[in-house]
Amino acid sequence: CEGIKNLMQKLMGQLMNCDIDVDSLEDEDYVPVSQNRIRCSMSSLISWYDSVTKKTDSETPSKKRNSSSRHWQSPPVVVIFKDMESFTTKVLQDFIVISSQHIHELPLVLVFGIATSPMIIHRLLPHSVSSLLCIELFQSLSCKEHLSTIIDKLLLTSRFPFKLGGKVLQVLINIFLYHDFSVQNFIKGFQLCIVEHFYSQPLSVLCCQPVDVKKRVYSLSHDQCENIRRLPSFRRYVEKQESEKQIELLTNDSFLKEETEKLLEDLHAYHENYVSILRCLHVFTSSLPKYPLGKQIRELHCACLENRVWETEDYESSLQLARMLNKTDLVTMLQQCVEILMSSSGKEFDKTVEKLKEFLTQFQNLEEASQERDVSVSSQKEVQKKTDLYHLQKTLLELKESRRSKKLTKFEMLRFEVVDYIDSLVRKYLVPADDRTLHEILYFNAATVLRGHLNAAPRTALHTALNNPHWYLKNQALKCDGGGISNKAPDICIVYKLHLECGRLINLVDWLEAFSTVVMAAEEPNADAASSDQVDDIIHARFIRAVSELELLGFIKPSKQKTDHVARLTWGGC
Amino acid sequence: MSRPEGTRSSRRSLQVKFVPDEDVLKHIADDAGTKVRKDKAQLSVSVKRFVKKLENISDNEAQEILEEKNYVAALGICAQDPVGNGSNISGGEVYSFQTPKRSSKMAELASELAQTPEQNVAPDHSKCPEKMAKTPQSSKMFLLMHVFSLLFQSKKKEFVSTTPYRLRKRLAAPDPYLESESEYSASCSEEEDEEDQKEVSTVLSGQKTPAKTKAASTPPPRNSLAKKIKEQKMGNLVEEYFEAHSSSKVLTSDRTLQKLRKRRLNQQTLHDLLKNTPLAYAEEIRDLNQQHESLFSKWMLQLHLGFNIVLYGLGSKRDLLEKFRTSLLQDSVHLVVNGYFPSITVRSILNSITEEVLDHIGTFRSPLDQLEFIIKRFKEDSSLELYVLIHNLDSQMLRGERSQQILAQLSSLPSIYLIASVDHINAPLMWDQAKLSLYNWLWYETTTFNPYVEETSYENSLLVQQSGSLALSSLMHVLHSLTLNARGIFRLLAQHQLEKKDNPSYPGLSFQDFYQQCREAFLVNSDLTLRAQLTEFRDHKLIRTKRGADGVEYLLIPVDDSTLTDFLEKEDEDV
C-alpha cells in the first residue's frame, strides 16, 4: 500500500466485502455498496461498524456462525498486517494515530507480523506512535521445532510406508539449516521425494500399507518380477542363499512373490522396531554431555540410516559416557524406555520390556543395599580414628589397594549390564536400511536428483558449460586436460575463455582479434587467401553472436567509459 | 629478451617515440626473429636488469595470489554441502579472484589456444597467422607492460601517493633529455601509458632513485605479512576489489572498431551470415536436447502436482520449450510469453490472460486489481487450466521486483502451470524467500548449447553492428516529415554539436545562443516559434534539454557523433 488512502480503501473493501459474504445469507436486504461510491474515511467505517454490530446484536444468538466474536458486547475488528517491515512507516504511523482517535467507537485490534525482532516496532514507529499501542508479544515456535515435529510425525512412524534414505534426509536438513530455515521448503522437498520415488522406481507399487502388500505382490507381472531380481539388495540376498533356493528364486515367479512378501513384511516389522529403539537410544544419548550423537533425534536418525551406528566413534564415546551416568538419571531413562517400548506396536518387545523392568527392580534393591553399606563404612571410619600416623598410612594404602582390586560395586556392574544391553538392542534393531533386502522399494535415495531440483546452482552449470563443454557435448575433439580448452570448442566458450583474461574493461577489437586467431587456427589451414574476406565476415559475425550471448548471460555489458569497450560484470576483473 | 646487445651504444641518447597502434600491431605481426625495430631496440640492458628484478617481484606476487586462490577455494568448498555430485565443481573455481590481469594476456591465450592443435599441422604452416600471435611474448614491450601492470595493480597502495606520472615528472626535472618527452604525456593513449612506464623504468634503473628501491623492496615484507594475516585475507580481498574498482584507470589498448577497416554488419547480414555457417557439434547438441526432451512427461506430472518448473543452463531453451509446447500442450490452453521481447510488460501478460483466456472485456485500474480478478476467476472455476510458458523470465523487462511478485502470485495458483527459463548468471537473485515459496520452483538443468538467436536479436545494445543504424534511420524518418525550417533548425544544432565534439564537458547549446543563430539564419522569427519547434523535437526524442547550474537551458542531441556525421552527410545528399 502506498498511501494511507489506499490502505483505508483496501481495509474498507475487505471488511465490508467479507462482511457482506457472511451476512448476505442472514438478511437479504443488506445492500452491498460499491466501493467507489463511499468516501473512505474513518467515520464511514464507524457507521458501517455500528450498523453491523447493531444488526448482529439484534439477531438471535443461536446463530453460531460467528459465535466467537458475538460473546462480546461489541466485537473488535481485527486487522492483520502481514510482514510489518514491508509497510511504509508513514502509512502505518498515520493509520495508528487515526485509529487511536476512534478507538472508542471502533474497537480495533492490530496484529503485526514481524519477521525479524520485536525491536523493529520501536525502530519503525516513533515513541509518540508506539505509545498509542498496547503491545503484547506473541512468539511463534521456532522453525526448528516445527521441523522436529514434522520429522517426528512423518518420518519416525511406521504409519507411512514411504521412507527417506539417509542421504536424502541429510540433503533436506542441510537445505533447511544452511539455506532458508523454511519448513515449507522442507515439506516441498519431501513432496518432491515422493513424486520422484513413485515416478522413477517401477517397483514403488509395492510401497504401500502392509495390508495391501499381499494383493499387490501377487498381481505382479513377470517384468516386475525381473525388476525385483535386478535390485542390488535382492541380489545380495540371493547370493547368501543356498544354491537350490537361488535357482528357485531366480526362475520361479510365484516362489519369488512369496519370498518378496515375506521380505516386505520383515521390512515393515524392522521399521516398527527401528523407530522404538531409536527413541530409546535417543533418550540415552540426548542427555550425555557434549552430545556425541547429536541433540536432536533427527541427527541420530541420520547417523543410523547412513551406516552402522555402532561402528562409529561417536557411538563408542557415547557408550563410554553412558557408563558413567549416575543412578537417578539411569533409572529415569530406563523408565522412559519402558514407556516407549510399551507404547510401540512391535510384538518383539515384550521380552525387552521385561528385561528393562528387571533392571529397574535391581536398581531398587541396590538402593536398599547401599544404605546398609553406608552404615558399615561409617563404622569403619570410627575405628580408624584412634590410629597413629603409621597406621593411618598403612590403612590408606590398604584402602587404595582394595579399591584397585575391588572389582566394581554392584551398582557399577549393573550399570555396565544395562549399557551392554542397550548396545545389544542397538546392534540388533538399528541396522541401516541399506543393508535390508528390498529397501529400494520403500526408501528414496536419489539425493543428487533432489539436490539438483531444489538447490540448483545455475552459475555452476554455466561455468561448467563454458569451461568444459566436453561435459555436455561428448565429442572427442572437445576433450582436454585440466583447465585448458581446445580451440575447437563452441564459439561462446572461446570468447568466454578469452574474456576471463581481461580486466574490468575489454577492448572489443583486441577481443575480436584474439578470437579470430583462435578460430583461424582451428579451421583448416588450407583456407585460401581469396576467400579470406568472406571468412573474415563469418568470423566477425560469429564473434558478434558470441559476445551478445555473453551479454545476455550477464557476463559483460556495454560501457561508455571508452569507445568500443565492454565492461566485465563478474568478479576477477580487478 | 632476445634483443641484440649491440644497441648498448644508443643508450645515452635514449628516447622513446610515440608508437601508433598500427605499428605495434605490425610489430606483433612481424616475425620477431628477423626484424628488430629501431625504436624498440633502444631499450637498454639496464632496463633488462630492472625487468628481471620486477619479474622476481611478480613471481612473489603470483605466489601470493596462488595462496589467495587456495584460500578462496577452501571457502567455496566449505560453503557447499557435503553431499556433492559429480557434476559440481568447487565454488572456489567459479568465483575465484583471478590473478591480476595483464593487457596482453588475451593475445597470449589466443596464441596458446591457437597452438594447441598443432600436432597435425605440417611444419611448413608454422609461418601462417597462428604463429604471429606468438610474438607478443617475445616482444619486450609487452613484457614490460606486463610487469608493470602487475606492479601497478598490486602495489596500488604504494603508488597511491606517487603515481607514475608524478613520479616521472619529479624525476624528469633534473634530466634534460627527458624534458622534451613530457610534452606528449598529456595525451591519454594507452600505448603512451606504457611508454611512460617504460620511461619510468629506465629512469629508475638509471638513477637508482629511492623510488625504485621502494618499488622493488616493498613486496617481500608484504608477502610475509600476508602469510601472517591470513584470516584477514577475505577482508583484504574485499578491500582490494573496491580499490581496484574505484580507480578509473584501466589498462586496455585504445583501438577502436572504426580503425578496423571492416564494414559494420547490420542485423540482416549478420543473420544471413550466421545462417550459412554450420553449427558446430550439431550432433552432440541434438543428443543433449533429446535427453532433455525425455523429461517432458515428468515435467507435465510435476506441473500438475503444484510445482513450477524453471530451466537453466547454457544455450537457448526456446526450442526446447517450443517442442514441449507442441508435443504436449496442443490441446490445452496455454500462453507463451517471450520475455526477451523488449517491450513486454507484466501488464501485457495479464491482459492476454484476462482478454484471451478469460474472455473479459474491460480495463483494470492497476495490475494488482487485474491479478485479483484473475485469481478470483481461477478459484471460482476449477475447470480452468492455463499453462504459461515464459522464455527468459529474467529479462530486462520482467526482472523488476513488482513484476516478479505478480508473476509469482500468478504461478502460485493451483491451476496455473508455469514453466520458465532463465539465463542470466544472477537470475536467482531476483527472488527472495517469499517469492520463491510462491513460485515453488523445481530446477532443471537444461544446457542445450543452442545459439540464442531470437533472444539476442532484440538486444539493440549489440555493440558491434547496428549501433546507430537504427537511430540514423529513425532520425531521417522523423526529420523528413518536418518542414524545411524545422530541418534547418535541427541541422544547425547538429553542426554546432559536431564542432564541439572534442570537448568532453560540452553541456549543449544554450537556448539563447541557439535562438540568436536561428534568427541569423532566418529560420525563426520569434522566441515562441523556436520553442514550439523544440517541443516538437523533444516529443520525438530528437533532442534533450538540460538545465545548467546557472539556470540556462542547454540543448543536446542524444546521438553519438558518428551517427550525427552520417546524418549530416545524408542530409547534404538530399538537398
Side-chain angles (χ1 to χ4, degrees):
Chain A
C1 299
E2 297 96 48
I4 182 82
K5 195 177 160 201
N6 208 327
L7 176 72
M8 289 300 291
Q9 260 176 7
K10 274 268 163 60
L11 182 67
M12 289 193 61
Q14 281 182 6
L15 276 177
M16 292 180 170
N17 270 335
C18 80
D19 224 84
I20 290 162
D21 287 347
V22 172
D23 287 350
S24 56
L25 295 170
E26 293 164 9
D27 40 359
E28 297 295 320
D29 57 342
Y30 192 92
V31 189
V33 262
S34 96
Q35 196 192 332
N36 290 340
R37 267 197 293 129
I38 9 162
R39 279 209 38 196
C40 294
S41 70
M42 214 60 197
S43 52
S44 60
L45 197 62
I46 290 163
S47 63
W48 160 81
Y49 177 76
D50 280 347
S51 71
V52 171
T53 43
K54 262 192 206 122
K55 243 176 220 153
T56 50
D57 282 347
S58 62
E59 261 156 26
T60 48
S62 63
K63 303 222 167 186
K64 292 207 168 171
R65 198 169 299 225
N66 313 7
S67 56
S68 61
S69 54
R70 290 298 133 78
H71 293 310
W72 298 6
Q73 194 56 46
S74 49
V77 176
V78 182
V79 181
I80 299 177
F81 291 87
K82 247 183 173 178
D83 193 12
M84 184 187 182
E85 289 93 329
S86 62
F87 278 92
T88 340
T89 49
K90 186 83 179 58
V91 174
L92 268 185
Q93 285 170 24
D94 286 353
F95 182 72
I96 291 169
V97 170
I98 292 171
S99 56
S100 73
Q101 281 160 2
H102 295 274
I103 193 75
H104 300 295
E105 296 127 79
L106 181 72
L108 262 183
V109 176
L110 307 179
V111 180
F112 297 107
I114 301 169
T116 50
S117 76
M119 283 305 292
I120 198 86
I121 297 178
H122 301 288
R123 211 172 309 149
L124 285 180
L125 306 172
H127 182 69
S128 59
V129 175
S130 61
S131 61
L132 294 172
L133 297 169
C134 170
I135 299 175
E136 209 159 317
L137 268 180
F138 298 93
Q139 199 148 21
S140 67
L141 280 175
S142 88
C143 50
K144 277 193 221 159
E145 277 164 63
H146 286 298
L147 181 71
S148 304
T149 331
I150 286 173
I151 290 182
D152 229 38
K153 290 257 161 77
L154 277 181
L155 302 180
L156 298 179
T157 58
S158 44
R159 291 232 314 278
F160 309 106
F162 174 75
K163 304 282 178 224
L164 292 181
K167 282 226 176 67
V168 173
L169 186 59
Q170 198 76 52
V171 166
L172 284 180
I173 289 177
N174 276 342
I175 291 177
F176 177 83
L177 289 180
Y178 297 122
H179 289 270
D180 49 12
F181 280 120
S182 157
V183 177
Q184 212 179 335
N185 273 356
F186 184 86
I187 296 173
K188 174 186 162 192
F190 189 71
Q191 287 170 339
L192 179 65
C193 290
I194 297 175
V195 174
E196 278 286 324
H197 181 68
F198 285 100
Y199 184 83
S200 57
Q201 175 59 263
L203 287 171
S204 55
V205 269
L206 297 179
C207 181
C208 57
Q209 296 295 342
V211 196
D212 302 332
V213 167
K214 192 163 188 173
K215 214 170 65 202
R216 295 208 188 172
V217 166
Y218 284 106
S219 63
L220 286 181
S221 66
H222 177 70
D223 284 346
Q224 281 169 318
C225 289
E226 283 302 311
N227 275 334
I228 292 180
R229 287 185 186 121
R230 250 176 259 135
L231 290 180
S233 70
F234 186 75
R235 277 161 60 174
R236 252 178 287 151
Y237 170 76
V238 170
E239 275 158 28
K240 276 185 213 151
Q241 306 301 315
E242 295 153 24
S243 57
E244 285 164 39
K245 205 178 172 189
Q246 274 185 12
I247 296 165
E248 208 45 9
L249 276 175
L250 293 178
T251 51
N252 190 342
D253 275 0
S254 57
F255 184 73
L256 176 82
K257 281 176 188 171
E258 265 172 47
E259 198 67 22
T260 314
E261 191 197 338
K262 226 189 288 166
L263 284 170
L264 279 176
E265 267 167 25
D266 277 0
L267 205 55
H268 283 291
Y270 152 78
H271 257 296
E272 286 169 15
N273 301 339
Y274 174 87
V275 174
S276 309
I277 297 295
L278 187 75
R279 284 184 200 278
C280 288
L281 183 62
H282 179 63
V283 166
F284 272 88
T285 55
S286 61
S287 58
L288 295 176
K290 281 200 195 161
Y291 310 105
L293 276 173
K295 206 175 183 175
Q296 306 282 344
I297 195 162
R298 58 165 187 264
E299 297 166 75
L300 191 64
H301 183 46
C302 283
C304 292
L305 275 180
E306 227 151 83
N307 36 33
R308 291 177 191 173
V309 72
W310 58 89
E311 283 172 2
T312 59
E313 270 178 43
D314 289 335
Y315 181 76
E316 216 39 60
S317 63
S318 55
L319 273 195
Q320 291 286 342
L321 288 169
R323 289 196 180 105
M324 282 181 258
L325 284 170
N326 65 21
K327 196 165 71 188
T328 44
D329 282 353
L330 206 57
V331 170
T332 48
M333 281 176 195
L334 281 178
Q335 272 160 353
Q336 277 175 329
C337 288
V338 169
E339 269 167 40
I340 290 169
L341 294 180
M342 297 276 268
S343 65
S344 86
S345 51
K347 294 131 203 156
E348 299 173 35
F349 288 134
D350 296 344
K351 265 191 198 161
T352 325
V353 171
E354 258 171 48
K355 181 88 180 163
L356 288 178
K357 276 186 177 159
E358 201 184 301
F359 280 131
L360 276 175
T361 49
Q362 277 180 356
F363 275 118
Q364 221 108 57
N365 295 339
L366 251 180
E367 217 162 309
E368 287 156 22
S370 65
Q371 274 171 0
E372 283 164 26
R373 234 177 53 134
D374 276 349
V375 176
S376 67
V377 168
S378 58
S379 65
Q380 222 180 353
K381 268 179 190 158
E382 266 175 80
V383 177
Q384 284 167 0
K385 255 183 187 172
K386 284 167 199 160
T387 49
D388 55 22
L389 201 65
Y390 171 71
H391 273 111
L392 182 66
Q393 199 177 6
K394 203 171 144 193
T395 42
L396 279 176
L397 275 174
E398 263 171 25
L399 264 178
K400 211 168 144 194
E401 280 290 294
S402 70
R403 191 166 296 166
R404 198 178 293 160
S405 62
K406 185 172 67 181
K407 276 286 150 90
L408 294 155
T409 62
K410 267 191 187 160
F411 165 67
E412 281 166 327
M413 300 244 285
L414 201 54
R415 191 163 62 181
F416 269 49
E417 241 173 85
V418 169
V419 173
D420 285 344
Y421 185 69
I422 297 288
D423 186 35
S424 71
L425 282 181
V426 167
R427 279 164 201 267
K428 188 169 171 198
Y429 293 111
L430 292 190
V431 184
D434 290 0
D435 291 359
R436 305 290 304 197
T437 313
L438 295 185
H439 70 91
E440 288 96 335
I441 293 177
L442 302 189
Y443 282 83
F444 177 68
N445 254 325
T448 46
V449 179
L450 187 70
R451 193 156 167 254
H453 291 331
L454 291 181
N455 192 15
R459 281 188 81 148
T460 324
L462 270 183
H463 180 88
T464 320
L466 289 171
N467 268 314
N468 185 11
H470 180 249
W471 183 269
Y472 294 99
L473 304 173
K474 304 290 180 209
N475 190 312
Q476 277 306 311
L478 291 174
K479 203 152 192 175
C480 52
D481 39 313
I485 186 168
S486 113
N487 55 9
K488 293 202 178 66
D491 293 346
I492 187 166
C493 299
I494 295 172
V495 170
Y496 172 77
K497 220 38 187 178
L498 290 171
H499 116 288
L500 279 186
E501 299 302 325
C502 285
R504 192 151 42 98
L505 285 183
I506 304 168
N507 186 316
L508 276 173
V509 184
D510 287 349
W511 203 0
L512 172 60
E513 204 111 305
F515 176 73
S516 60
T517 320
V518 176
V519 173
M520 300 271 262
E523 246 142 55
E524 290 305 298
N526 53 20
D528 307 330
S531 63
S532 76
D533 238 23
Q534 205 194 337
V535 169
D536 243 24
D537 268 353
I538 288 173
I539 288 177
H540 194 183
R542 280 165 65 186
F543 175 72
I544 290 167
R545 177 173 64 186
V547 168
S548 47
E549 280 174 3
L550 276 191
E551 187 183 350
L552 181 81
L553 293 176
F555 283 104
I556 51 165
K557 67 166 189 201
S559 159
K560 287 207 169 110
Q561 263 178 304
K562 252 173 147 182
T563 42
D564 289 332
H565 274 66
V566 288
R568 238 185 108 175
L569 293 178
T570 44
W571 267 44
C574 308
Chain B
M1 305 304 295
S2 58
R3 298 286 156 219
E5 294 289 292
T7 53
R8 189 183 291 232
S9 56
S10 65
R11 182 193 167 192
R12 237 169 296 147
S13 61
L14 177 115
Q15 57 177 51
V16 187
K17 281 186 203 153
F18 172 77
V19 188
D21 295 336
E22 289 84 355
D23 282 7
V24 178
L25 249 182
K26 226 185 273 168
H27 171 73
I28 293 167
D30 273 343
D31 214 346
T34 53
K35 273 185 203 166
V36 181
R37 291 181 68 87
K38 240 188 246 164
D39 51 351
K40 297 288 178 341
Q42 284 153 2
L43 291 162
S44 64
V45 191
S46 62
V47 176
K48 265 189 242 160
R49 217 188 304 137
F50 183 63
V51 165
K52 255 179 199 150
K53 260 183 200 160
L54 282 179
E55 263 174 340
N56 290 340
I57 294 163
S58 66
D59 274 356
N60 284 344
E61 204 59 42
Q63 202 181 343
E64 199 174 304
I65 287 149
L66 204 73
E67 277 165 24
E68 273 169 25
K69 232 179 172 175
N70 287 341
Y71 181 72
V72 176
L75 263 187
I77 288 158
C78 290
Q80 285 213 331
D81 287 346
V83 269
N85 58 16
S87 71
N88 283 327
I89 8 147
S90 76
E93 250 175 88
V94 190
Y95 310 112
S96 70
F97 302 87
Q98 304 287 330
T99 50
K101 296 304 172 207
R102 285 138 275 176
S103 340
S104 64
K105 197 62 211 271
M106 191 152 71
E108 268 176 38
L109 187 83
S111 64
E112 237 169 70
L113 287 182
Q115 299 284 307
T116 37
E118 290 309 280
Q119 304 103 319
N120 51 359
V121 178
D124 60 308
H125 283 300
S126 58
K127 272 172 198 160
C128 18
E130 60 252 40
K131 208 70 187 174
M132 295 177 194
K134 211 189 163 191
T135 44
Q137 283 160 322
S138 57
S139 150
K140 173 159 293 173
M141 172 156 173
F142 270 74
L143 196 76
L144 255 180
M145 197 171 82
H146 245 197
V147 170
F148 248 97
S149 57
L150 252 184
L151 187 76
F152 204 122
Q153 277 156 359
S154 54
K155 295 288 119 40
K156 228 157 225 152
K157 266 178 201 144
E158 282 88 4
F159 275 128
V160 164
S161 50
T162 60
T163 60
Y165 283 101
R166 272 209 270 158
L167 189 73
R168 197 185 54 75
K169 285 232 168 95
R170 209 183 62 210
L171 294 170
D175 244 333
Y177 64 83
L178 278 174
E179 209 62 286
S180 58
E181 284 147 22
S182 59
E183 276 154 30
Y184 70 64
S185 68
S187 68
C188 57
S189 158
E190 201 55 52
E191 299 292 344
E192 284 155 30
D193 279 354
E194 286 148 23
E195 308 282 334
D196 279 351
Q197 286 161 8
K198 228 184 293 176
E199 218 174 287
V200 179
S201 76
T202 48
V203 170
L204 286 176
S205 57
Q207 301 189 330
K208 302 263 184 233
T209 53
K212 180 209 166 186
T213 47
K214 190 183 173 189
S217 62
T218 32
R222 208 172 154 244
N223 200 8
S224 59
L225 203 73
K227 274 173 197 154
K228 276 184 211 157
I229 49 163
K230 234 179 182 177
E231 304 87 46
Q232 295 171 2
K233 207 83 207 208
M234 201 57 203
N236 275 348
L237 284 171
V238 172
E239 272 168 31
E240 269 168 32
Y241 172 81
F242 284 111
E243 202 172 275
H245 276 240
S246 62
S247 72
S248 57
K249 187 93 183 69
V250 194
L251 293 167
T252 50
S253 71
D254 246 359
R255 302 190 290 165
T256 58
L257 288 172
Q258 279 184 335
K259 285 189 186 171
L260 232 60
R261 25 162 236 306
K262 199 172 284 174
R263 70 199 163 83
R264 299 200 161 201
L265 303 166
N266 62 24
Q267 189 72 50
Q268 193 53 47
T269 46
L270 179 77
H271 192 76
D272 292 343
L273 276 174
L274 288 177
K275 224 166 146 187
N276 293 332
T277 49
L279 189 62
Y281 306 110
E283 185 88 0
E284 284 82 6
I285 288 174
R286 213 178 44 239
D287 283 355
L288 208 59
N289 285 333
Q290 248 151 26
Q291 269 175 39
H292 300 319
E293 279 158 30
S294 64
L295 292 171
F296 281 174
S297 57
K298 194 171 174 181
W299 290 354
M300 208 56 184
L301 172 73
Q302 285 170 342
L303 285 175
H304 276 271
L305 287 170
F307 297 105
N308 292 309
I309 287 177
V310 62
L311 310 177
Y312 66 93
L314 181 70
S316 169
K317 290 161 278 288
R318 201 174 166 281
D319 293 343
L320 192 67
L321 281 178
E322 239 353 76
K323 211 163 213 174
F324 176 70
R325 188 181 74 84
T326 48
S327 60
L328 286 176
L329 301 183
Q330 258 335 317
D331 303 325
S332 38
V333 187
H334 58 262
L335 175 74
V336 181
V337 179
N338 294 326
Y340 50 82
F341 196 70
S343 62
I344 191 108
T345 56
V346 184
R347 177 154 263 210
S348 54
I349 297 174
L350 291 177
N351 275 341
S352 48
I353 293 179
T354 50
E355 280 162 21
E356 279 158 44
V357 180
L358 300 177
D359 286 328
H360 173 89
I361 305 150
T363 50
F364 296 89
R365 273 185 306 159
S366 72
L368 282 175
D369 285 352
Q370 204 166 359
L371 180 71
E372 241 164 65
F373 172 79
I374 292 170
I375 290 174
K376 215 175 105 201
R377 282 293 298 273
F378 271 94
K379 279 195 176 143
E380 275 168 12
D381 191 351
S382 55
S383 65
L384 272 177
E385 282 188 338
L386 175 65
Y387 295 86
V388 181
L389 285 87
I390 303 184
H391 303 295
N392 288 79
L393 187 58
D394 54 348
S395 65
Q396 283 291 340
M397 293 307 291
L398 296 181
R399 65 174 69 145
E401 209 261 324
R402 296 187 114 234
S403 4
Q404 286 297 327
Q405 180 68 40
I406 287 172
L407 287 176
Q409 273 173 341
L410 207 58
S411 73
S412 67
L413 283 177
S415 48
I416 286 187
Y417 314 116
L418 175 68
I419 177 164
S421 66
V422 292
D423 286 303
H424 199 277
I425 41 170
N426 294 328
L429 294 182
M430 54 185 183
W431 302 311
D432 56 14
Q433 269 316 321
K435 288 197 200 79
L436 277 178
S437 69
L438 281 176
Y439 270 126
N440 207 12
W441 287 131
L442 284 189
W443 294 81
Y444 272 90
E445 181 182 336
T446 53
T447 303
T448 61
F449 274 99
N450 280 337
Y452 293 97
V453 181
E454 288 289 319
E455 287 91 329
T456 52
S457 66
Y458 289 108
E459 205 129 358
N460 42 18
S461 55
L462 261 191
L463 341 143
V464 192
Q465 77 288 24
Q466 48 188 327
S467 72
S469 73
L470 200 71
L472 184 64
S473 69
S474 60
L475 211 63
M476 298 296 290
H477 197 73
V478 172
L479 268 243
H480 272 289
S481 64
L482 293 177
T483 60
L484 216 64
N485 267 11
R487 276 153 80 173
I489 294 173
F490 191 77
R491 262 182 77 95
L492 216 65
L493 190 60
Q495 275 162 354
H496 191 270
Q497 185 161 334
L498 276 183
E499 278 164 28
K500 294 283 168 62
K501 72 177 171 190
D502 294 331
N503 179 6
S505 58
Y506 168 68
L509 185 59
S510 75
F511 180 76
Q512 279 308 320
D513 292 348
F514 192 37
Y515 176 55
Q516 210 58 43
Q517 285 181 24
C518 288
R519 262 190 89 105
E520 279 161 16
F522 298 114
L523 287 170
V524 292
N525 54 8
S526 78
D527 189 314
L528 275 178
T529 36
L530 179 59
R531 277 216 186 271
Q533 200 56 62
L534 288 182
T535 317
E536 193 167 352
F537 285 160
R538 205 176 310 147
D539 289 346
H540 285 111
K541 302 222 165 66
L542 291 181
I543 60 163
R544 215 168 35 200
T545 51
K546 231 185 342 189
R547 232 169 245 293
D550 45 356
V552 182
E553 213 174 334
Y554 288 106
L555 309 167
L556 204 66
I557 304 173
V559 178
D560 59 68
D561 297 335
S562 55
T563 316
L564 218 52
T565 325
D566 288 349
F567 163 70
L568 285 181
E569 274 168 18
K570 280 244 171 82
E571 275 282 284
D572 287 338
E573 281 168 25
D574 286 358
V575 171

